[in-house]
Amino acid sequence: MDFSLIVGVVVVAALAFDFTNGFHDTANAMATSIATGALRPRVAVAISAVLNLVGAFLSVEVAKTISGGIVDDAKVTPAVIFAGLAGAIIWNLLTWLFGLPSSSSHALFGGLIGATWVASGASAVHFTQVVQKVLVPAVASPIVAGVVAIAGTFLVYRITARARQDVVAKSFKGAQALSASLVSLAHGTSDAQKTMGVITLTLIASGSLAEGSGPPLWVILTSAVAIAAGTFLGGWRIINTMGKRITEIQTPQGFAAETSAAVTILASSHLGFALSTTHVCSGGVIGSGVARKLSEVKWGVAGQMVLAWLLTVPAAALVGAVASLAVERGAAGTIVVAVLLIAVGLAAYLLSRRNPVKPDDTVAEPQPVPAAA
Amino acid sequence: MNIDWGALGSVFVIALVVVVVLTALFAIGVRGLSARAVARDAGTSGGAVGTATAAICFVVCAAIVGYGIYLIGAA
């Protein structure tokens, strides 16, 4: 196979994945602030995009391995990476179409698992690592963030129950916007790094970069811009689900949910137990709904979301495996996969136009003054 | 299989404590603002305590958030 072709294709696919990661994850930070009217939709995604961009430059410590040990990293070739990215991108597009928040990093892991399995056999997949780094965090994240958000929401309503409600509403609007911005910043420092890591390690593997080099400036720039552009595009479908369809959210709840999410993400990244942003944020929203008696959590929607989380790794793995079969056939296979990827992207876009979710749709109806918990 | 339950436990406990402190402080601060607004509307002079409470609470909250931003940058 023409080595430079596959490297070029990986770079483009990695940036495309970065872009889908951006519009998939805008909801994590901004959905509740948009729903409550704390921030106007376009302003919210603009703030989130800028903070993601800033976050990408803030930390350029790139992963040492692509999969973090989930598969045998010695067997991860550029072809495997491309097939894995294909699985991740397709899963991100599908879940976006259905408006389901799901973890972009799990999609990438899934794609890599499937591609490695086909290319090097099941023994190259470290299943205990999959349980440890994917399954356990996926279950633990929403529970931890959910319980924390229940406590925070309960306290907020309890303490402000007898305060003047116009003051309460105004104060929490500002606080909510601020807590959402923190989530965005934390997101930017972690997710753009994944793309930089993928590109940098591919360049090293192909000999274009010396062993152990950091990401070149163009890699940092393009990764930061791709994730910010995706964020700015604002995955309105997922924002709609997170902000309105799970539970009805008031500003104090949004504040409690986003504060819980930001703190949980920070605690997890500094205590060595990585939790996924998407799962943490969804757990926070559900928890803030559980804590306020008057808001009802729509468990059907929450169930759909959990189902999507469970399917993320196997589904992305399946696509990654099929893509890997094609890519192994050589340059022609790679081109076929690339063309199919573009076709799926186009199809998802066209399908989304049939029932579009516009920015203003993601704002909840005007709410009565906050009721006590 | 080597799941670090200890690390998971400490993430949970620390997140819980920080969120409880942060949300409670902010809510108490909001109550201070509310007391100030009530006193002002009534034309009485009881607003000072509310203002002071709010100021102290918000400053501590800001310090915690500042530390959070520092942690993000240091990551």
Side-chain angles (χ1 to χ4, degrees), chain A residues 277-297:
Chain A
T277 313
T278 305
H279 302 159
V280 164
C281 293
S282 313
V285 170
I286 295 173
S288 75
V290 171
R292 192 168 71 91
K293 277 185 222 146
L294 291 176
S295 66
E296 216 171 289
V297 175

Side-chain angles (χ1 to χ4, degrees), chain A residues 27 31 61 71 76 106 109 156 202 213 221 227-228 231 250 261 264 274 351 355:
Chain A
E61 193 191 319
V71 298
V76 177
H106 283 194
F109 286 151
V156 162
T202 306
S213 336
L221 270 175
I227 200 163
T231 306
Q250 296 179 332
T264 307
L351 280 172
N355 60 333

